[in-house]
Amino acid sequence: MASYSNRKEDVLKRLRRIEGQVRGLQRMVEEDTYCIDVLTQVSATTRALQSFALQMLDEHMDTCVRTAVADGGGGNGDIKLKEASDAIARLVRS
Amino acid sequence: MASYSNRKEDVLKRLRRIEGQVRGLQRMVEEDTYCIDVLTQVSATTRALQSFALQMLDEHMDTCVRTAVADGGGGNGDIKLKEASDAIARLVRS
Amino acid sequence: MASYSNRKEDVLKRLRRIEGQVRGLQRMVEEDTYCIDVLTQVSATTRALQSFALQMLDEHMDTCVRTAVADGGGGNGDIKLKEASDAIARLVRS
Amino acid sequence: MASYSNRKEDVLKRLRRIEGQVRGLQRMVEEDTYCIDVLTQVSATTRALQSFALQMLDEHMDTCVRTAVADGGGGNGDIKLKEASDAIARLVRS
């Protein structure tokens, strides 16, 4: 079970929409669309991926991290906080 | 004709690889992959999109912007430089 | 008390170094340094600010968020998690 | 002469404002301001640096790059376009 498991259909729908955006980019390229218009769509796709990541991170902190921390002892809270922090750094730097 | 038109197959190949990454994300979600591992893949996909955008922007400046500027008069160089500058701002801020 | 209060001198030292980078930018401009070299320094300063933010966020999650969540009841954990999530979104989008 | 040389006072004013933001961060830390409020100010400072960079890049493309390209021959246009492209990649990735 992952923190998104009970709303997997929503998550998949969102990813399919992003896949649709990437396929839209391919169509634009096939039709020799002007570079600047392709780039505008790339920026929109990047933003959609970032929003997706932020929501997944939120849910993860709200469930896995919270549970591990609330459980106290065992150092599991430490591990989960470190993992989340590394994931955040990757998002900020990408 | 767009600045990438004479190497369209390469551009499409790159976009298909990004599409594959997004489909990989869907598989991960279907298999309840741990959120942090999904997020690592989202960051990789975001970086792939950014590299794609940077290459397209390069080619655009190297062809369309350069030609418009070299042609001089008519203000077309101004228009192309303004368009490129707006596209760069969208990339930096996304 | 903030989560960084017991190592305030370190935090201030880091911010003074960033201030030094911004003053370095001013010197470069006063000396008509080539734009591209100024831009390289701006990128370095931006990265320094981001690393600073990531460290502050880490400490905050490791102390304030962790304490609020471990305390359970009262909804304070919810508030802290929401605040952290909003701060992360601002960092990712800036 | 750099592309910003004839409006140097404006450029310096903008950098002094950013320096003021970084000093404001130091004051916040000295007063044990809540981490989340410090982070909000860090995000604002990062955005100010990015806007500064985008304006400097614009002017650079509008003057140095344009001139080098318009001059044609000698490969100077190539060099300037490559430099600009590298600077853009650093901005997008920082």
Side-chain angles (χ1 to χ4, degrees), chain D:
Chain D
M1 283 286 290
S3 66
Y4 55 77
S5 292
N6 56 353
R7 53 170 217 94
K8 208 191 275 194
E9 215 27 69
D10 273 1
V11 176
L12 285 172
K13 202 182 281 177
R14 205 160 169 182
L15 284 173
R16 277 185 215 115
R17 208 153 41 215
I18 294 173
E19 185 193 335
Q21 287 180 284
V22 179
R23 266 212 294 266
L25 286 169
Q26 292 169 40
R27 260 191 312 279
M28 291 177 98
V29 166
E30 269 156 11
E31 296 166 358
D32 296 287
T33 305
Y34 184 46
C35 316
I36 294 291
D37 296 327
V38 178
L39 285 171
T40 303
Q41 274 314 102
V42 175
S43 291
T45 311
T46 305
R47 274 195 304 277
L49 267 170
Q50 279 177 341
S51 298
F52 174 82
L54 288 169
Q55 193 188 348
M56 177 153 290
L57 184 69
D58 266 18
E59 290 182 350
H60 177 66
M61 296 211 301
D62 217 28
T63 54
C64 305
V65 177
R66 179 200 286 264
T67 308
V69 165
D71 275 3
N76 200 21
D78 289 354
I79 293 170
K80 296 296 174 193
L81 279 167
K82 177 78 177 78
E83 274 179 359
S85 145
D86 289 347
I88 293 163
R90 279 192 296 272
L91 287 178
V92 169
R93 289 179 176 137
S94 73

Side-chain angles (χ1 to χ4, degrees), chain B residues 2-80:
Chain B
S3 65
Y4 55 78
S5 292
N6 57 353
R7 52 172 218 93
K8 208 190 274 196
E9 214 27 70
D10 274 0
V11 177
L12 284 172
K13 201 182 284 177
R14 204 159 171 183
L15 284 173
R16 277 185 216 115
R17 207 151 44 214
I18 294 172
E19 185 192 336
Q21 288 179 283
V22 178
R23 265 212 294 267
L25 286 168
Q26 292 168 40
R27 261 191 313 278
M28 291 177 98
V29 165
E30 269 156 13
E31 297 165 0
D32 296 286
T33 306
Y34 184 46
C35 316
I36 294 291
D37 297 326
V38 179
L39 284 171
T40 302
Q41 274 314 101
V42 175
S43 291
T45 312
T46 304
R47 273 195 306 276
L49 266 171
Q50 279 177 342
S51 298
F52 174 82
L54 287 170
Q55 194 189 348
M56 176 152 290
L57 183 68
D58 266 19
E59 290 181 348
H60 177 66
M61 298 210 301
D62 218 29
T63 53
C64 306
V65 176
R66 180 198 286 265
T67 308
V69 166
D71 276 1
N76 200 21
D78 289 354
I79 292 170
K80 295 297 175 193

